[in-house]
């Protein structure tokens, strides 16, 4: 509850306000200001959130007494988040007006007057009017109604109506625990899918995203439906939650509550998205400061991402426990023994006994190798996830230097199936950063720009997912060239390791490519990889941005550009690896920014460079190539005067012929020679010349600022210029 020095003056004002709209508005403003002041002075967030609900209770009860008679045949019920006794600054106040079957007209008028006054004083209310029977019908048809009613509280009015409604919507009447759990589980899966099954997005949703407040509420709802518990600490008493997990849940929830409180305060509305332009304001509100390595906003967001990662892991553990105790309680357990340490129980791999990791720490890696080798395994048992988390401290320098551990890890990244899935789980459960300590720095690390939409660790794992998709025959049509190249790579684990290290040095200051290359080389040597393979992986990390920048920022039709890039790449094998790493990296950075144009640029750069590496061209070869292109273009210009074509081309530099295709050369010449000067300017467009882009040709007599005028008009049309000559 709120401290008396805050609560009592506010209650006194509420009592004296009566029905005066101005006074009631002033009371609400006073409540908001008092709670904000208390928050800024360090009042516990749960006190502020429950305190607001308590004060709103008193406000509504006071108005109800004035507007509704004791025998009006209705009850005022708090539902949803407000029913839980939780209210953030701009949260909706969800109300249910529970009424008798035959409500008198006078009672209807009283309820209507009550609602009108709430609107007049500016409360954000959501309300419904139902009988107990209607509640039962709606609850049976819609699980969200059932969920809201489960958390209801009687505020004022008929207690008998409320008791009748509770009885009509209980688990013995609608949505028994097994059906309720299955429906809520599917609901959560759909909700997570909306956010790409990751909470590590650029603008995460603090309420609905994976690991957010809704995931905590999901645990509470299922536990309440099955066990009748009203708080998470009761799950500790039942042995479902450990003390450490309960503390972690509470700390995580309170941290998210503090952020949500400030989100509502800053925006003045019910805003649950950590929007890009709000993140800096929130970082300042939580007193983060820029330092040499990280911006304040990056520090703030990393703490947020790490918090929801812990909450997501706990959500997974508890929901799996509920699945075993609710859905599979009456089913016979199907057990498949894998070895002396692990078995599969109803599709989930688990430790045979609770001492397995303390007796054999290497089993911490072995379990993930087994998952890659058995595609039928759905996941890890909740009890074993707990054991993994409790034994992470065993992964120390001695463990990492153990040849058996090294062999296990290399086996994991060398598997033909399940590599992405397992590495993602290893990261979620803390094992990947424990085994590769440098990875810890990028867990939950965001980059404050609009280009990178995922945290660095999530981006890294999505890169690996993209790589693994290239090995699936059914998906070869997505990127035929890349799939063909991937099939020719003998040691695909080199690409996986390069992916793991390509951004590992972000946030440490300096050039992350250079620093990451050093880390990668050290790791490869510590893992006894052949020196040639180690240098390839390190080289890939060091140069992982070069191909993308060359393709997008340089003229890849310029022979000098290709020669210089080929000198850097050195061999066709290096080129193959770099092309695959670059393609998958670009697609994992921001899927919405990937397009056919970028795909075409990368393929062109790859093919030009491969040709240069296999058959280096001299200047004489370049001249011969230009003559060949002109001859082919003339074949498409048979209707034009060939002497006129020659005279036109004599006005163009060698660069023109190097940078344009045969079709473009013929198209340009045909338009220019077919159009009299008095018909200038001419604007032509072709949409099919280059995938993902349209090509515009503008022919006009040259004059000052012509190019600037053209590009300005294109920009005003919100068109993206990817190349201009």
């Amino acid at each position: 509850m709120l401290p008396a020095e805050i609560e009592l003056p506010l209650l006194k004002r509420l009592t004296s306000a009566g029905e005066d709209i101005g006074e009631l508005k002033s009371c609400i403003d006073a409540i908001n200001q008092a709670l904000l002041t208390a928050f800024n002075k360090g009042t516990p967030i749960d006190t502020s959130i429950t305190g607001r609900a308590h004060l709103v209770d008193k406000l509504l009860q006071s108005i109800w007494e004035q507007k509704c008679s004791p025998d009006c045949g209705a009850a005022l019920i708090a539902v949803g988040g407000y029913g839980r006794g939780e209210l953030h600054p701009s949260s909706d106040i969800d109300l249910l007006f529970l009424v008798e079957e035959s409500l008198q007209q006078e009672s209807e008028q009283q309820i209507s007057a009550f609602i009108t006054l709430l609107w007049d004083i500016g409360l954000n209310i959501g309300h419904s009017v139902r009988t107990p029977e209607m509640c039962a019908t709606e609850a049976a048809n819609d699980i969200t109604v059932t969920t809201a009613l489960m958390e209801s509280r009687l505020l004022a009015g008929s207690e008998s109506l409320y008791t009748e409604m509770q009885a009509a919507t209980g688990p013995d009447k609608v949505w028994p625990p097994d059906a309720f759990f299955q429906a809520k589980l599917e609901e959560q899966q759909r909700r997570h899918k909306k956010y790409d099954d990751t909470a590590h997005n650029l603008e995460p949703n603090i309420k609905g995203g994976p690991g957010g407040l809704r995931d905590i509420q999901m645990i509470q709802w299922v536990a309440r439906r099955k066990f009748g518990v009203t708080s998470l600490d009761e799950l500790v008493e039942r042995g479902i939650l450990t003390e450490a997990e309960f503390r972690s849940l509470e700390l995580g929830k309170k941290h998210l509550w503090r952020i949500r409180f400030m989100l509502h305060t800053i925006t003045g509305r019910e805003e649950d998205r950590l929007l890009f332009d709000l993140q800096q304001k929130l970082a300042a509100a939580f007193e983060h400061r820029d330092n040499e390595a990280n911006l304040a906003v990056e520090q703030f967001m990393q703490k947020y991402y790490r918090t929801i990662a812990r909450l997501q892991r706990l959500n997974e553990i508890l929901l799996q426990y509920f699945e075993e105790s609710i859905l599979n309680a009456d089913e016979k357990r199907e057990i498949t023994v894998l070895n002396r340490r692990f078995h599969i129980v109803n599709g989930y791999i688990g430790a045979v006994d609770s001492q397995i990791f303390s007796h054999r720490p290497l089993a911490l890696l072995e379990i993930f190798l087994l998952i890659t080798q058995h595609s039928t395994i759905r996941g890890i048992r909740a009890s074993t996830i707990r054991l993994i988390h409790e034994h992470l401290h065993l992964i120390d320098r001695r463990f990492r230097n153990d040849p058996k551990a090294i062999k296990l890890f290399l086996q994991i990244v060398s598997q033909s199936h399940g590599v992405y899935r397992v590495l993602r789980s290893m990261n979620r459960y803390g094992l990947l950063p424990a085994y590769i300590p440098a990875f810890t720095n990028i867990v939950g690390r965001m980059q404050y720009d609009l280009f990178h939409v995922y945290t660095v660790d999530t981006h890294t794992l999505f890169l690996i997912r993209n790589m693994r998709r290239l090995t699936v025959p059914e998906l070869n049509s997505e990127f035929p060239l890349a799939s063909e190249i991937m099939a020719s790579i003998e040691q695909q684990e080199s690409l996986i390791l390069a992916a793991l290290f390509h951004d590992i040095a972000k946030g440490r200051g300096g050039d992350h490519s250079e620093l990451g290359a050093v880390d990668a080389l050290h790791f490869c040597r510590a893992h006894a990889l052949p020196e040639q393979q180690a240098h390839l992986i390190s080289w890939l990390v060091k140069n992982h941005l070069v191909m993308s920048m060359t393709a997008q920022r340089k003229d890849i039709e310029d022979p000098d550009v290709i020669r210089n890039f080929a000198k850097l790449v050195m061999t066709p094998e290096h080129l193959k690896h770099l092309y695959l790493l670059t393609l998958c990296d670009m697609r994992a950075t921001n899927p919405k920014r990937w397009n056919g144009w970028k795909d075409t640029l990368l393929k062109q750069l790859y093919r030009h460079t491969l040709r240069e590496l296999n058959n280096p061209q001299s200047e004489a070869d370049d001249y011969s190539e230009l003559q060949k292109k002109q001859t082919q273009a003339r074949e498409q210009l048979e209707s034009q005067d060939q002497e006129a074509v020659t005279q036109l081309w004599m006005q163009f530099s060698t660069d023109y012929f190097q940078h344009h295709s045969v079709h473009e050369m013929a198209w340009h010449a045909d338009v220019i020679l077919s159009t009299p000067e008095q018909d200038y300017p001419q604007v032509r467009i072709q949409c099919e010349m280059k995938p993902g882009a349209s090509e515009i040709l503008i022919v006009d007599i040259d004059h000052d600022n012509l190019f600037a005028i053209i590009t300005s008009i294109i920009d005003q049309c919100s068109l993206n210029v990817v190349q201009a000559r």
Side-chain angles (χ1 to χ4, degrees), residues 385-535:
I385 295 173
R386 281 184 173 134
L387 290 175
I388 290 172
H389 187 68
E390 291 169 2
H391 289 85
L392 286 177
H393 66 278
L394 297 177
I395 304 179
D396 53 14
R397 181 176 296 180
R398 181 180 176 183
F399 180 100
R400 290 187 286 268
N401 290 334
D402 188 328
K404 293 180 181 178
I406 289 171
K407 182 180 179 181
L408 283 168
F409 184 81
L410 291 179
Q411 282 182 295
I412 289 171
V413 298
S414 301
Q415 293 298 306
S416 58
H417 300 286
V419 176
Y420 161 70
R421 175 190 171 202
V422 157
L423 289 176
R424 185 183 185 190
S425 296
M426 289 172 69
N427 187 45
R428 176 179 293 181
Y429 304 144
L431 198 136
L432 187 59
Y435 188 76
I436 306 177
F439 203 85
T440 304
N441 182 59
I442 63 170
V443 173
R445 174 170 296 281
M446 61 89 71
Q447 299 165 84
Y448 192 66
D449 58 53
L450 291 171
F451 182 66
H452 297 86
V453 297
Y454 303 116
T455 58
V456 181
D457 59 323
T458 297
H459 158 72
T460 296
L461 292 168
F462 279 173
L463 191 167
I464 293 171
R465 180 185 65 179
N466 291 340
M467 283 181 172
R468 300 308 299 164
R469 287 177 68 87
L470 297 176
T471 68
V472 180
E474 293 80 7
L475 302 177
N476 283 355
S477 59
E478 288 185 350
F479 297 95
L481 174 62
S483 296
E484 180 184 341
I485 295 171
M486 180 64 86
S488 71
I489 302 292
E490 293 184 4
Q491 295 176 313
Q492 294 181 4
E493 68 272 15
S494 297
L495 285 166
I496 301 297
L497 292 173
L500 283 173
F501 280 87
H502 84 291
D503 277 349
I504 205 165
K506 283 194 170 178
R508 282 165 33 190
D511 187 329
H512 79 278
S513 300
E514 296 275 357
L515 296 172
V518 174
D519 288 351
L521 187 60
H522 175 76
F523 179 89
C524 291
R525 285 173 171 168
H527 283 64
L529 292 180
E531 196 67 10
Q532 184 177 359
Q533 186 181 12
H535 277 285

Side-chain angles (χ1 to χ4, degrees), residues 559 617-637 642 645-646 649 653-662 665:
Q617 288 187 321
S618 64
E619 291 187 13
D621 292 329
D622 291 342
Y623 180 72
S624 175
E625 181 67 23
L626 293 185
Q627 285 190 315
K628 181 180 177 182
K629 288 175 71 174
Q630 289 183 356
T631 300
Q632 292 173 340
R634 286 181 185 275
E635 292 174 359
Q636 298 181 32
L637 292 166
Q642 293 301 306
V645 173
T646 300
W649 282 350
S653 67
T654 303
D655 283 348
Y656 171 83
F657 300 102
Q658 290 175 335
H659 298 158
H660 290 91
S661 68
V662 170
M665 290 163 54

Side-chain angles (χ1 to χ4, degrees), residues 105-137:
Q105 183 176 1
E106 182 181 354
S107 297
E108 289 183 8
Q109 292 172 346
Q110 291 176 1
I111 293 173
S112 178
F114 177 84
I115 294 172
T116 300
L117 182 55
L118 298 188
W119 284 337
D120 288 343
I121 63 177
L123 288 182
N124 298 321
I125 64 166
H127 74 281
S128 58
V129 181
R130 296 189 180 112
T131 65
E133 184 179 351
M134 291 168 63
C135 286
T137 302

Side-chain angles (χ1 to χ4, degrees), residues 130-141 146 149 165 168-169 174:
R130 296 189 180 112
T131 65
E133 184 179 351
M134 291 168 63
C135 286
T137 302
E138 290 293 323
N141 294 331
T146 301
L149 294 178
M165 182 275 292
T169 59
V174 296

Side-chain angles (χ1 to χ4, degrees), residues 286-342:
F286 284 88
E287 299 184 344
H288 289 279
R289 299 288 181 266
D290 293 348
N291 58 41
E292 291 182 3
N294 301 292
L295 298 173
V297 66
E298 293 171 341
Q299 299 167 44
F300 166 76
M301 291 302 296
Q302 186 167 38
K303 183 176 181 180
Y304 166 79
Y305 288 126
R306 289 183 173 182
T307 297
I308 57 176
R310 288 193 297 272
L311 293 174
Q312 194 172 7
R313 176 174 57 82
L314 289 171
N315 172 269
E316 179 184 358
I317 289 174
L318 289 168
L319 292 189
Q320 192 188 126
Y321 175 86
F322 291 148
E323 182 177 354
E324 290 183 2
S325 62
I326 298 175
L327 293 185
N328 303 330
D330 299 326
E331 293 183 10
K332 183 180 178 181
R333 296 208 311 175
E334 294 183 10
I335 300 177
T336 303
V337 177
L338 296 177
N339 56 33
R340 290 182 300 171
R341 294 168 294 281
F342 297 104

Side-chain angles (χ1 to χ4, degrees), residues 656-716:
Y656 171 83
F657 300 102
Q658 290 175 335
H659 298 158
H660 290 91
S661 68
V662 170
H663 180 76
E664 288 171 326
M665 290 163 54
W667 178 42
H668 297 167
D670 187 54
V671 172
I672 294 171
L673 295 175
S674 301
T675 308
E677 283 192 10
Q678 61 266 26
D679 291 338
Y680 288 173
Q682 287 288 309
V683 179
R684 305 291 175 86
I685 185 168
Q686 289 196 359
C687 301
E688 72 280 0
M689 292 185 70
K690 293 181 179 176
S694 299
E695 188 154 333
I696 301 173
L697 171 64
I698 301 173
V699 182
D700 197 7
I701 298 172
D702 193 21
H703 58 79
D704 291 344
N705 301 319
L706 176 60
F707 185 75
I709 293 170
I710 292 171
T711 54
S712 175
I713 292 172
I714 291 175
D715 182 62
Q716 290 173 23

Side-chain angles (χ1 to χ4, degrees), residues 40-182:
N40 290 332
K41 288 182 177 180
T43 297
I45 186 62
D46 48 346
T47 299
S48 297
I49 300 305
T50 58
R52 182 184 299 276
H54 174 66
L55 291 171
V56 171
D57 287 352
K58 296 300 183 183
L59 171 64
L60 297 180
Q61 289 162 352
S62 174
I63 297 175
W64 181 272
E65 289 178 4
Q66 298 170 61
K67 290 293 185 182
C68 301
S69 60
D71 59 349
C72 70
L76 178 63
I77 313 296
V79 294
Y82 179 41
R84 286 193 302 274
E86 302 167 4
L87 268 185
H88 286 266
S90 296
S91 292
D92 283 346
I93 300 167
D94 293 321
L95 299 172
L96 167 64
F97 294 91
L98 202 56
V99 298
E100 295 175 344
E101 196 69 43
S102 54
L103 190 66
Q104 299 297 319
Q105 183 176 1
E106 182 181 354
S107 297
E108 289 183 8
Q109 292 172 346
Q110 291 176 1
I111 293 173
S112 178
F114 177 84
I115 294 172
T116 300
L117 182 55
L118 298 188
W119 284 337
D120 288 343
I121 63 177
L123 288 182
N124 298 321
I125 64 166
H127 74 281
S128 58
V129 181
R130 296 189 180 112
T131 65
E133 184 179 351
M134 291 168 63
C135 286
T137 302
E138 290 293 323
N141 294 331
D142 188 346
I143 195 168
T144 59
V145 174
T146 301
T147 307
L149 294 178
M150 278 169 48
E151 300 179 306
S152 62
R153 291 183 297 120
L154 175 65
L155 296 176
S158 173
E159 187 172 345
S160 61
L161 276 174
Y162 180 58
T163 303
E164 183 182 348
M165 182 275 292
Q166 285 185 304
T169 59
D172 58 329
K173 296 293 178 62
V174 296
W175 294 104
D178 55 345
F180 181 84
F181 173 72
Q182 185 64 51

